[in-house]
Amino acid sequence: MRSDFTCLLGSFSKEALESYPGAIYGLWPDLTIAWANRAYFRFAAENSGEPKISSHWAVGASVIHGIRGEQSAFYRKAFKACIESGQKWEHTYENSSAERYRFCRMLVRPLGNGEGLLVVNSTIRDSLHNPKIRPSFTASAAYKDRRGFVHQCCECRRVQNHE
């Protein structure tokens, strides 16, 4: 049976982690989610992440389970390297929605002696899309479904071709 993840936090204050505005979560060495702060769930609720967060990235689920394609292998390799080396890892990424442009930083810190990871996500930039920078996309009929909608993957940004 696993111990309480918060015992691994050492000098980190659980209260400070809970009140941090960015999404923070803890991982066991097998990359299952051990703990998450309130902002993790708040961000999901504010950005139409439910029910996917509860079904794919709930406490006890593998963080890799909900990540698709090349990103899955990328994060698995990076998290495992962080656990094995005992070195922190930092990564910047885009986390935009249809309405908002978001650029974020992820800081991953190993805990204990390879006993877990603390993953801290911070927003670097959050703004409405600027149409002058990102011209609107006009989809050809090949990319529209029978109702006229275009389907785009929220992870890789690929658009589905319906022909």
Side-chain angles (χ1 to χ4, degrees), residues 27-98:
L27 298 175
W28 294 115
D30 65 359
L31 305 182
T32 56
I33 301 170
W35 170 85
N37 72 347
R38 289 186 292 267
Y40 177 86
F41 298 102
R42 185 181 65 244
F43 183 85
E46 291 171 354
N47 293 281
S48 304
E50 288 296 354
K52 194 171 187 178
I53 290 297
S54 295
S55 64
H56 285 49
W57 288 295
V59 172
S62 169
V63 73
I64 301 300
H65 174 74
I67 303 173
R68 303 281 184 251
E70 295 170 12
Q71 289 182 337
S72 176
F74 171 79
Y75 282 106
R76 180 185 307 278
K77 182 178 177 182
F79 288 150
K80 290 291 189 181
C82 190
I83 289 171
E84 292 168 6
S85 71
Q87 299 294 311
K88 68 181 179 178
W89 176 62
E90 195 169 326
H91 176 60
T92 54
Y93 60 98
E94 184 180 343
N95 187 17
S96 296
S97 68

Side-chain angles (χ1 to χ4, degrees), residues 12 20 23-25 27 75 79 82 87-93 104-110 117-122 124:
F12 291 101
Y20 186 75
I24 302 176
Y25 54 93
L27 298 175
Y75 282 106
F79 288 150
C82 190
Q87 299 294 311
K88 68 181 179 178
W89 176 62
E90 195 169 326
H91 176 60
T92 54
Y93 60 98
C104 302
R105 177 173 291 119
M106 174 187 290
L107 179 61
V108 183
R109 294 187 173 266
L117 296 172
L118 184 66
V119 182
V120 180
N121 295 279
S122 304
I124 299 169

